[in-house]
Amino acid sequence: MFCYQCEQTYRSGDAVGCATQRGNCGKDTTTADLQDLLVHAAKGLAQYAKRARALGAPDREADAFILHALFTTLTNVNFNAARFVGLLQEAARLRDAARARYEAAARAAGQEPETLANAAATWQPAPDQNGLLRQAAGVGVDAGIDSVGADVTGLRSLLLYGIKGVCAYAHHAHVLGQDREDVFAGIERALDFLAQDPADVPALLDEALALGTLNLSVMEMLDAANTGAFGAQQPTAVRVRPIQGKAILVSGHDLGDLAALLEQTRDSGIQVYTHGEMLPAHAYPKLKAYPHLAGNYGGAWQDQQLDFANFPGPILMTSNCIIEPLPAYRQRIFTTGPVGWPGVRHLESHQFAPLIQAAKALPGFKADEPGKTITVGFGRHAVLGVAGAVIEAVKSGAIRHFFLVGGCDGAAPGRDYYSDFATQAPRDTVVLTLGCTKYRFNQHDFGDIGGIPRLLDIGQCNDAYSAIRIATALAEAFECGVNELPLSLVVSWFEQKAAAVLLTLLALGIRNIRLGPTLPAFLTPNLVQVLVERFGLKPIGEAHADIREALRLEAA
């Protein structure tokens, strides 16, 4: 086992990466190694799917599988080794079918099919788990580091983790019925590139930026999927204290799962609460129209063990962010989609009857708690709808600066920086936020500037496209580039979706991003220096000092 894909990676002196029997995320070495092998298998599948597509024979089943398979390998998604054995068998079946599809298309076009001899294209699954683990030994993320060096390995990792993030976002859109051929083609091309074991640093950097551009299209597609299914976000006050009655808690990111559950619990007397990154669901008109979408419970994903233990009903974990379920709630947590944990009941295809039965059997909340609300729903439609007032406030000097303070939260030390930064931002500045970092400060009273709230919650990390659209619209209004706006990006990263978003920001040419609480372990000092010189990427410092520097640079 060797893994350094997330911010909680083990670090001690020169030793970097989780390489013991258990990663800091709770992933054991068996699961970690099977995930590495699944990535290897996906590369082989993508190579043939790419070539079949080029000949007019795309394979939609292979496309969807790649999205789902790579999503399962993200941090805090699937810890069930048995599920990966099945995924590996499926990957081999689909790879063989894609090869046959490609060869038939080539011959139909009068071409001799290309013979792919690399390890990913020719891999055949071992008959049992022990055999698969032996195969995994040579395909980890650090494979070949002795020959190509840490810089090349780090860039390969950056590209791979970006691909994982792209696949996760694309999967969210896919389950809502939104797909784009250029997205499937771009993912296949990136995996095919990695399968060739590239060692050219400039080529790897170019490919990473191309992936960032692809991710912009993916986030646009996901935005269209969410707004098309549920309407454009609207500013909405969300109750953050429970009310009396039976209850279900939904965590993760998947709005489609929440919508299906709301429909199945209509008129049942069961209240449905959101948790973590599901909070923005309350801003979508078609979701908040359900009166039993009762509010939000708890905080960010890393608080779930306490939140879930105290919740008096069952929990549904969708998409990513699961951590080891405690005995206090292990028998009442369910997973769905790409999520998995050994011994936890998994529900397929929105078959939520066992979850609903559990809610009816469990006590629920005994009484209403005192009411308290926070406001969400400042996606691009809401913010751009009042763009005129925002622009005038900037021109008049009422709004001096915008700070985007957002991204993934986590339990590692140093993340108080983000709450300090947001709450210390001067009264004539506006704080935009998205992702679960906002839980560190979203109950703080920021007030407003001429009726414009000083805290604008744009939504999930999945809503990064909204933030980009807001920034580009303001730049157009002021006839300048995004880098010339009175705007600073202060980003908290944790996992591979964040890697994809970072690549998008870099591909757009956005400079001087502050990233923390630590820089990714797969970025070597040499690679960090390249990003500093080329994009002005900066590690976070002290909140008050970083605020002063941002305002000083603007004044200059």
Side-chain angles (χ1 to χ4, degrees):
M1 173 180 178
F2 177 80
C3 184
Y4 60 175
Q5 69 178 10
C6 75
E7 194 272 333
Q8 63 192 353
T9 292
Y10 173 81
R11 304 170 194 245
S12 179
D14 293 333
V16 175
C18 297
T20 62
Q21 292 301 306
R22 185 179 175 89
N24 285 341
C25 66
K27 183 170 54 184
D28 62 38
T29 186
T30 296
T31 303
D33 289 349
L34 292 176
Q35 288 183 357
D36 286 343
L37 189 58
L38 183 59
V39 170
H40 183 68
K43 292 177 186 175
L45 171 57
Q47 289 177 83
Y48 283 111
K50 170 181 178 285
R51 286 159 176 77
R53 179 182 301 280
L55 292 170
D59 188 332
R60 187 54 63 88
E61 186 180 9
D63 295 334
F65 177 84
I66 290 172
L67 302 184
H68 179 266
L70 290 189
F71 197 168
T72 66
T73 70
L74 267 70
T75 304
N76 291 356
V77 175
N78 198 314
F79 296 75
N80 191 337
R83 292 263 295 277
F84 286 101
V85 172
L87 286 169
L88 285 162
Q89 298 290 340
E90 182 69 0
R93 181 189 71 80
L94 289 171
R95 190 271 320 275
D96 291 345
R99 179 175 56 207
R101 192 182 190 93
Y102 159 62
E103 290 174 348
R107 292 190 178 99
Q111 302 176 13
E112 183 62 27
E114 182 181 354
T115 300
L116 301 180
N118 63 70
T122 59
W123 168 78
Q124 293 294 334
D128 56 29
Q129 181 172 293
N130 288 335
L132 292 170
L133 291 173
R134 287 191 292 272
Q135 292 180 331
V139 299
V141 71
D142 59 343
I145 190 171
D146 291 339
S147 60
V148 299
D151 293 342
V152 167
T153 301
L155 275 176
R156 289 176 180 175
S157 300
L158 174 62
L159 181 56
L160 172 61
Y161 301 151
I163 294 170
K164 289 187 179 189
V166 167
C167 285
Y169 286 132
H171 177 81
H172 284 302
H174 173 75
V175 297
L176 291 176
Q178 288 279 341
D179 293 310
R180 282 175 45 170
E181 295 305 317
D182 63 315
V183 169
F184 290 134
I187 292 169
E188 292 164 4
R189 186 180 64 81
L191 287 169
D192 178 64
F193 177 80
L194 271 183
Q196 314 308 319
D197 294 327
D200 181 80
V201 168
L204 279 159
L205 278 170
D206 288 347
E207 192 66 30
L209 293 178
L211 186 70
T213 300
L214 175 67
N215 189 55
L216 181 62
S217 295
V218 172
M219 291 192 296
E220 179 185 29
M221 178 176 71
L222 178 55
D223 178 86
N226 286 336
T227 57
F230 309 117
Q233 287 191 54
Q234 300 169 345
T236 303
V238 180
R239 185 182 175 98
V240 291
R241 298 287 186 270
I243 60 176
Q244 181 181 13
K246 303 288 187 178
I248 294 174
L249 187 61
V250 184
S251 193
H253 297 72
D254 199 294
L255 299 179
D257 288 332
L258 176 63
L261 179 63
L262 287 168
E263 183 60 31
Q264 291 178 36
T265 52
R266 181 197 292 269
D267 301 324
S268 68
I270 298 171
Q271 309 295 334
V272 177
Y273 295 84
T274 57
H275 177 270
E277 286 263 55
M278 294 299 291
L279 169 61
H282 295 269
Y284 288 93
K286 291 185 180 179
L287 296 178
K288 70 179 184 177
Y290 287 95
H292 62 300
L293 181 60
N296 192 73
Y297 181 90
W301 69 271
Q302 76 274 5
D303 299 328
Q304 69 184 255
Q305 288 181 324
L306 178 62
D307 292 340
F308 293 178
N310 290 332
F311 189 79
I315 302 107
L316 179 66
M317 179 58 73
T318 74
S319 70
N320 43 320
C321 294
I322 193 171
I323 53 180
E324 182 172 7
L326 297 178
Y329 60 87
R330 188 180 289 255
Q331 297 307 309
R332 54 186 174 86
I333 185 172
F334 298 78
T335 62
T336 191
V339 192
W341 193 281
V344 168
R345 286 170 289 182
H346 187 76
L347 305 178
E348 297 279 3
S349 304
H350 294 159
Q351 300 298 311
F352 293 140
L355 175 73
I356 296 168
Q357 290 169 4
K360 292 177 178 178
L362 289 163
F365 291 100
K366 299 298 185 183
D368 293 359
E369 292 190 11
K372 179 178 177 59
T373 63
I374 57 177
T375 302
V376 302
F378 294 99
R380 63 185 179 89
H381 297 90
V383 174
L384 296 180
V386 295
V390 173
I391 291 165
E392 286 305 312
V394 174
K395 288 181 177 178
S396 71
I399 295 178
R400 178 169 38 152
H401 201 83
F402 297 90
F403 294 107
L404 174 61
V405 184
C408 315
D409 204 1
R415 290 183 178 271
D416 286 346
Y417 167 92
Y418 296 95
S419 54
D420 293 343
F421 194 107
T423 57
Q424 292 175 21
R427 297 283 302 174
D428 58 355
T429 64
V430 172
V431 177
L432 307 170
T433 190
L434 75 166
C436 55
T437 294
K438 61 173 165 272
Y439 278 105
R440 292 187 174 265
F441 49 82
N442 67 352
Q443 295 196 29
H444 177 80
D445 183 6
F446 285 86
D448 66 90
I449 299 174
I452 299 169
R454 285 194 57 238
L455 179 66
L456 300 176
D457 184 349
I458 298 172
Q460 298 178 328
C461 70
N462 292 9
D463 294 307
Y465 179 73
S466 262
I468 291 170
R469 282 290 305 274
I470 290 168
T472 54
L474 289 174
E476 290 171 3
F478 287 107
E479 298 182 343
C480 67
V482 171
N483 291 317
E484 284 71 54
L485 285 172
L487 169 68
S488 300
L489 277 67
V490 185
V491 178
S492 168
W493 86 281
F494 182 78
E495 43 90 296
Q496 296 77 66
K497 286 183 176 179
V501 172
L502 177 62
L503 290 177
T504 296
L505 296 175
L506 298 181
L508 288 169
I510 297 175
R511 296 182 55 80
N512 301 319
I513 301 166
R514 287 201 177 274
L515 185 67
T518 60
L519 295 180
F522 48 85
L523 294 181
T524 64
N526 289 337
L527 297 178
V528 170
Q529 188 58 35
V530 169
L531 295 177
V532 168
E533 292 174 354
R534 189 165 172 180
F535 302 104
L537 189 72
K538 304 175 182 180
I540 63 171
E542 296 292 332
H544 62 89
D546 290 349
I547 291 170
R548 284 201 307 268
E549 181 185 353
L551 297 177
R552 184 173 62 249
L553 289 174
E554 176 197 0

